[in-house]
Amino acid sequence: QVQLVESGGGLVQAGESLRLSCIASGRSIGSYVMGWYRQAPGTRRELVAHIYNNGTTNYADSVKGRFTISRDNAKNTVYLQMTSLKPEDTAVYYCRSFYYTSDSWGRGTRVTVSS
């Protein structure tokens, strides 16, 4: 099973940037689909971005052009570069890995964007 630990969250002002990291342990993530999700208070957890093992990415419409997901398989790490942050990006951000029946989540890192 893969264990995931997110970091990099914090409090920023609107328009600023943050980079989140997700470090995996337990297995190499090279074959895994990796994703970032977020959950704001009182809402459902939603997809932010996925990156597949061939590097293909997909994004939620709300973050296209502002967020970039990337992976460094040698470091067993996935990143989420967030730019032009908006107050509506405020949420707990979770990392996810999945591959066939293996499906793991991290505990999340909080991002707060003030206006």
Side-chain angles (χ1 to χ4, degrees):
Q1 191 74 337
V2 177
Q3 292 81 46
L4 303 170
V5 178
E6 304 95 336
S7 63
L11 171 63
V12 296
Q13 293 188 334
E16 294 184 339
S17 301
L18 276 176
R19 188 176 83 155
L20 305 183
S21 300
C22 170
I23 299 176
S25 61
R27 289 181 183 253
S28 172
I29 63 168
S31 298
Y32 284 68
V33 181
M34 302 297 297
W36 285 98
Y37 292 71
R38 66 187 182 186
Q39 187 169 17
T43 69
R44 290 185 173 184
R45 194 171 297 187
E46 63 176 7
L47 170 69
V48 175
H50 280 147
I51 184 166
Y52 295 83
N53 56 1
N54 63 0
T56 301
T57 58
N58 65 278
Y59 297 90
D61 288 343
S62 59
V63 306
K64 280 181 182 176
R66 299 188 298 122
F67 291 11
T68 303
I69 188 171
S70 62
R71 65 195 297 162
D72 185 337
N73 290 336
K75 295 182 178 180
N76 238 28
T77 302
V78 177
Y79 304 98
L80 185 68
Q81 179 68 49
M82 305 186 294
T83 63
S84 301
L85 282 161
K86 304 175 181 180
E88 50 264 43
D89 295 318
T90 294
V92 177
Y93 284 71
Y94 297 90
C95 182
R96 181 187 185 192
S97 70
F98 51 99
Y99 180 68
Y100 290 103
T101 59
S102 173
D103 189 353
S104 300
W105 293 84
R107 293 189 175 186
T109 185
R110 185 175 301 276
V111 173
T112 304
V113 184
S114 63
S115 57

